[in-house]
Amino acid sequence: MDLYNCLQLQEFTKEIFFFSSLSLFRKSLPRCRRINRMLSNESAAPPAFSRSNSQASMDSTSMEDFWCEVESIKESSEDGSEEATLLEFKPADEGELEAEWLQDVGLSTLISGAEEEDGQALLSTLTRTQAAAVQKRYNTYTQTLRKKNKHTVRDVRDIFGTNDSAVSTNSCLDCGLNKGSPSVTEELSYEVSFSESITVLPKTQEWPKNQRFKKEDSALPVSFRFGLTEVGDLSAEDMKKIRYLSLIELTAFYDALGVELKRNRAERVRGRENGLFGVPLTILLENDQRKVPGIKVPLIFQKLLLKLEETGLETEGILRVPGSASRVKNLHQELEAKFYEDTFDWDQVRNNDAAGLLKMFVRELPSPLFTVEYLPAFITLIKLQLQALHLLIMLLPEANRDTAKAFLQFLKKVVANEGKNKMNLWNVSMIVAPNLFIYKGKRANQQEMQAAATTAHIVRLLIRYQDILWTVPSFLISQVRKMNEAAMNNSKRQLMFDKGGAVTFPPYLQSDIPEGVIRVYAPLHSKVSMAIQLNSQTKAKDILARFHCENSRGPSQNMRGQIQSLHEIGGNIGQHCLDPDAYMLDVYRANPQAEWVIKPKAT
């Protein structure tokens, strides 16, 4: 059984318990005016079911943590210690959502009517279910325009170059994708589009009752021939294409399940333009990069995490037990005044106060760390959530994704110290969820509060499966390669002919290097290049080891202390930092026109 199938069955069992317990715990809880309760009760109350801590079971104490944190946030907002920033939801006119969707997936040319190479290249790479998702949105958009008597729009058959039956909006119905109770097949993997992997689970078939899972299920999947690619391993231009494809795939995934992908249109009140708290991540990073070039996570956020990692991981009730409200308020003001002057005394900050500042920073971000745009989609689905969550991570803006990763890595360390700090996975998830997903300054109704409690489950998945969720599915990388190849083919048609009438090709197409041999460049080594014959077992780490071995003078002064990686550059990819376990012959065959360079990995 593949990775995702095992994980989904495991999560489904936990989700049944989570949702059945939600209303019971909410009704039984008193109002949490006294938040700093006795910590000894944490271990005294037995869990609702007999489960180990490693399984992160949720008990009544965990639910109480959630509602107490909600009350704490509400009180801090009411006493003026935090500025309320509201998410304003605006209703969309008919067809507007489809138009926005087409723009967000890089197909604005379908709206403008212009024929641009990028849009055509994207369309040429789509799977059957992805193409059906695009056609469905485009059909809705064009039908709306016709109703409003707007300008003439292109026929969908002209766009896809086929007839209606070839790529039908109902093509999923023909293979049963929108009927019955959907499930994940045994073949679901990184190599195949999630939406293409969905088949019907007969109504008479039940989830296996004897399935057992190990603690290691949350580890990274078994390495593929191409290795694993983290989100930071690709060029910015290719990651932009990954985001386009991820939104198309997410939509196709929900279409294949017969579930509506609900989308909020939210506009947030503008945040501050200077300072630390309540400032947009992009502005914070612009300010910080003047001081530390290339930084990806705001300095204040890094410092708060570092403070807690150095002294607070073993503090009992860290994150749950609040610090002094007055101290936190004073520290907040002092940080705003002294942080960039490097005169702030971190030794005076108590661990619980630092945790309070960390949560305050997350809450006061003008735009949520995890976008709420597709939050309704996660509340709708229970059985098949990991794939959707994975695609959502791919959709995050770079600043949000990098900051979220740093935050989740810290939370994982908190859970790893559960034996001393008494904070298991459920406890941490319940405390963090309100800070990430509840809208400040707005009194939530019962339905909204239940939805917010659902986000605690999402946080648990984010913490537990972060190593998986922050890798790029290989089927998306394959589609990016096809997009780039389509663009390259278009460029070749525009090459100038020389006087004899022959096409002048770029240098990489004129190479005389034999088949299966690559020339690797290492500008920071004493031996700067080497031709290497590949075989079926050659890995990227073997090439790195050979370079290190054959450079008798050792690494240059410039590369000492830096992690060196083999990079695939050009051809059908912008830039790709290769996994040390990637099989090079497979990568070479996927991109024979690439250059191969050893250089430090971007951090």
Side-chain angles (χ1 to χ4, degrees), residues 94-95 98 139-149:
E94 188 177 11
E98 286 73 18
N139 280 344
T140 303
Y141 167 71
T142 56
Q143 289 167 10
T144 302
L145 288 187
R146 291 189 182 102
K147 288 179 183 178
K148 295 180 177 181
N149 297 319

Side-chain angles (χ1 to χ4, degrees), residues 518-532 543 546-548 550-556 558-559 564 566 595-599:
I518 62 173
R519 180 162 292 280
V520 181
Y521 297 90
L524 296 182
H525 286 70
S526 55
K527 185 171 184 178
V528 297
S529 74
M530 187 186 304
I532 296 178
I543 295 176
R546 183 170 171 182
F547 255 88
H548 291 316
E550 297 199 14
N551 277 270
S552 57
R553 295 204 310 256
S556 69
N558 292 334
M559 61 177 285
Q564 300 290 300
L566 181 60
E595 293 185 353
W596 313 94
V597 179
I598 295 176
K599 62 178 184 175

Side-chain angles (χ1 to χ4, degrees), residues 48-118:
F49 292 94
S50 179
R51 297 181 180 180
S52 66
N53 286 334
S54 64
Q55 292 173 300
S57 62
M58 182 190 67
D59 54 21
S60 59
T61 308
S62 297
M63 283 305 300
E64 185 181 350
D65 289 339
F66 179 89
W67 297 113
C68 285
E69 187 70 11
V70 170
E71 190 72 16
S72 177
I73 294 172
K74 178 183 173 183
E75 290 175 351
S76 66
S77 218
E78 289 175 347
D79 67 15
S81 61
E82 296 183 19
E83 295 180 5
T85 54
L86 296 177
L87 282 172
E88 299 175 353
F89 295 94
K90 296 186 176 182
D93 292 338
E94 188 177 11
E96 281 188 2
L97 287 178
E98 286 73 18
E100 288 181 4
W101 186 90
L102 289 168
Q103 291 175 338
D104 289 346
V105 300
L107 293 174
S108 58
T109 55
L110 299 185
I111 300 173
S112 65
E115 294 189 8
E116 295 183 10
E117 291 181 3
D118 288 347

Side-chain angles (χ1 to χ4, degrees), residues 12 79 139 141 181 211 255 292 303 324 330-331 379 402 430 452 458 469 523 525 539 541 566 584 593 597 601:
F12 179 56
D79 67 15
N139 280 344
Y141 167 71
S181 301
Q211 183 67 45
D255 284 352
V292 184
K303 188 60 182 178
S324 163
N330 291 335
L331 289 169
I379 298 171
D402 292 338
M430 290 292 177
I458 296 174
L469 297 173
H525 286 70
K539 294 185 177 182
K541 63 183 178 184
L566 181 60
M584 289 304 302
Q593 299 166 2
V597 179
K601 180 175 181 178

